[in-house]
Structures are given as C-alpha cells and as structure tokens.
Amino acid sequence: MKPAQDFIAQNKQRFLDELLELLRIPSISADPKYKDDVLRTAQVVAQSLRDAGADNVEVCPTSHKKDGKAKDGYPVIYGEKIIDKKLPTVLVYGHYDVQPPDPLDLWTSPPFEPVIKKTKVHPQGAIFARGSCDDKGQAYMHIKAFEAMVKTNTLPCNVKFCIEGEEEVGSPSFRPFVEKNKKKLACDVVLCADTSIIANDVPSITTGVRGLAYLQVEVTGPNRDLHSGVYGGGVANPINVLAGMIDKLIDKNGKITIPGFYDDVLNESKKDRKP
Ligand SMILES: [Zn+2]
C-alpha cells in the first residue's frame, strides 16, 4: 500500500481542492430549480472518474414511470477498471445529489461555500458544506483511493463505479436502471460509499443498513365539532384512532407487527457475524 499512500500524500491538496469544487455545486435533486446544477455535478463526477483512470465512463440517462407516464431521471455515472477478469470485482455505489440545505439560518457558513474549520466535535478540522458527508465526500474518497491505486499500479481487483443523482428523492429511477443494466453492474461485492465511520482514526465498514418504507394514511371523522356530552365516547375521535393504529405497528420489543413485513429479510449467518 506504500506507493498509493505516498501518492495520496503528494496529491492531498489537489484532492482537497477538487472535493471543495464539487461541494460548491448545489446539486439539490429535490428542487427542479437546481436541475442544471445536478446535471453539471454529474458531468464533474464523470470527469473525475476519467481523470482517476476509469475506463468506459458513461453519463447514463435514466427514467422511471410516474402516474403511468415515463419521466426522465438524473443520470447515473458509470465507470470501470477491469484489470483481470479472473479477479473479484468491487462495485462502489454513491450519490452526487444532496439534501436541500434549509433551514438556512441554522448554518454558520453558507452551505455551498465549503469552509474547513475546527470545532469542539472536530478538533482536527472538518469541511463544512452541504454534501460533505452525504455523499460527495464519501463517494469522492473512493474515487481518489481508486485513483491512487490506478496511478501507482497497485489496484488489487476490478472496480466498477455506479454513482446516482436521485438518492435524496428516493431513487425513483435507480431500480429500473439496475434492472436494465444487470450485466454492466455485475460484481462480487457492493461497497456502499454512503455511510460513516466510528471515528476519524477507526476505518469502519457498515454491514446491513436499513431501508425506508413510508405511506400516508388519512383518518377522517365528523365534519364538525361534536358536543362531548352528547357524542363523547359514542363517536371515535380520529386522533385516538390514529394513535391506536400507530401504537399497534410496533410491539413492546420494537418489532414491526405488520404481517409479512419481515418475509424478505435475510438473517445474518454465524459466518456473517464473524469478525
Ligand atoms: Zn446519502
């Protein structure tokens, strides 16, 4: 690993400058006003993969169905380095879109003007900008680790990158993209560059992250206030009904009680748990 580490040390300032440049683009996928910025970020990420030494870099168009109609999505950036087909292939997943920065008055510096500062929590200094730790920072770190290994001829396996632009809006186009590109994305291991580390000096790999399922439930009741003396107890209050429904979703051990909810969940094996 020594040559790669030397490469990182020699290029540290450039790596940092490039990341700060990426953080300056407000790639807010949830707000159509920032569409051009999101698309520009996609191009910057693609170029950074090319510069890092990835082959077959593509800005892949995506789409999904909404209300029965096809809707364009933000592109997925793909790139690869296949050094030996017999070696395992690692696919790095990340996303280049960011959450909206509201509420702005809680920021001590503008969200898209990155600053490096020391705080109580970050005595060694940290970058403060929207996306710095979700997920431009992490995705970029993997691109730079890849670059260091490519440029020093120390890459030990094949690598593929798949970096999407809709993670912060629920990835509506990602599933259709993956289904259409199974062969292109085929790999032995997926490395999700969208998690965190326990501490700066503890490299950490997160195994098994939770998904997200949500729905909107509307409970309607009487069309006017009802007199408690006449109707109290006889007519259910929608708030009480709703509270009861929510309460029934989880048992006293925190287990979700919806029938079938755990059907597709795989339990870890003893081998998985082994450090
Ligand atoms: Zn993320």
Side-chain angles (χ1 to χ4, degrees):
M1 270 305 166
K2 187 80 173 60
Q5 280 168 346
D6 289 346
F7 183 87
I8 291 167
Q10 283 153 16
N11 290 278
K12 195 176 166 187
Q13 193 55 48
R14 174 173 66 85
F15 285 2
L16 196 57
D17 291 344
E18 288 174 10
L19 173 58
L20 297 181
E21 208 48 56
L22 190 64
L23 290 170
R24 284 191 187 100
I25 317 175
S27 49
I28 306 166
S29 51
D31 189 342
K33 213 169 67 200
Y34 294 92
K35 187 178 174 191
D36 289 349
D37 292 304
V38 183
L39 293 173
R40 187 154 59 94
T41 313
Q43 295 296 340
V44 171
V45 171
Q47 191 55 43
S48 69
L49 278 178
R50 280 183 208 108
D51 293 344
D55 301 319
N56 304 321
V57 175
E58 277 176 73
V59 178
C60 313
T62 68
S63 67
H64 61 273
K65 282 225 168 89
K66 199 182 173 196
D67 305 326
K69 281 188 212 138
K71 196 172 177 296
D72 282 345
Y74 284 122
V76 170
I77 314 304
Y78 177 81
E80 63 180 24
K81 191 91 195 167
I82 309 297
I83 52 168
D84 181 348
K85 284 207 164 125
K86 289 194 283 300
L87 285 172
T89 301
V90 175
L91 181 137
V92 178
Y93 164 87
H95 63 91
Y96 60 85
D97 61 325
V98 300
Q99 284 266 341
D102 321 87
L104 285 173
D105 54 330
L106 293 181
W107 285 80
T108 52
S109 55
F112 296 104
E113 290 172 29
V115 287
I116 299 173
K117 60 184 173 192
K118 291 180 181 170
T119 65
K120 249 192 203 159
V121 188
H122 304 283
Q124 292 147 328
I127 300 173
F128 288 80
R130 173 54 96 224
S132 57
C133 65
D134 187 11
D135 179 45
K136 286 174 175 169
Q138 295 100 313
Y140 206 67
M141 178 190 73
H142 285 82
I143 296 174
K144 294 293 117 176
F146 168 77
E147 178 179 331
M149 287 189 277
V150 170
K151 299 285 155 90
T152 55
N153 261 324
T154 53
L155 196 67
C157 58
N158 303 313
V159 179
K160 293 177 176 179
F161 282 93
C162 174
I163 303 177
E164 68 155 321
E166 296 188 332
E167 199 271 349
E168 301 294 7
V169 288
S171 304
S173 310
F174 197 59
R175 190 185 180 116
F177 175 80
V178 173
E179 281 170 351
K180 240 188 262 163
N181 292 279
K182 271 187 190 166
K183 220 173 143 194
K184 186 192 281 201
L185 303 173
C187 61
D188 297 282
V189 176
V190 175
L191 192 62
C192 175
D194 195 14
T195 55
S196 52
I197 52 175
I198 296 167
N200 277 353
D201 51 357
V202 185
S204 319
I205 292 179
T206 305
T207 58
V209 284
R210 292 188 161 209
L212 185 72
Y214 54 88
L215 48 98
Q216 188 168 332
V217 176
E218 203 173 310
V219 178
T220 53
N223 62 358
R224 64 201 148 93
D225 272 353
L226 298 182
H227 189 278
S228 57
V230 180
Y231 296 98
V235 179
N237 182 325
I239 271 292
N240 289 342
V241 172
L242 200 57
M245 285 165 68
I246 293 167
D247 184 50
K248 282 197 196 103
L249 291 176
I250 291 175
D251 72 13
K252 63 179 192 315
N253 299 316
K255 250 196 146 12
I256 292 163
T257 54
I258 299 166
F261 186 85
Y262 292 102
D263 283 1
D264 294 331
V265 177
L266 301 174
N267 285 322
E268 77 278 23
S269 66
K270 272 196 182 137
K271 203 174 136 220
D272 291 335
R273 291 193 74 93
K274 226 169 151 191

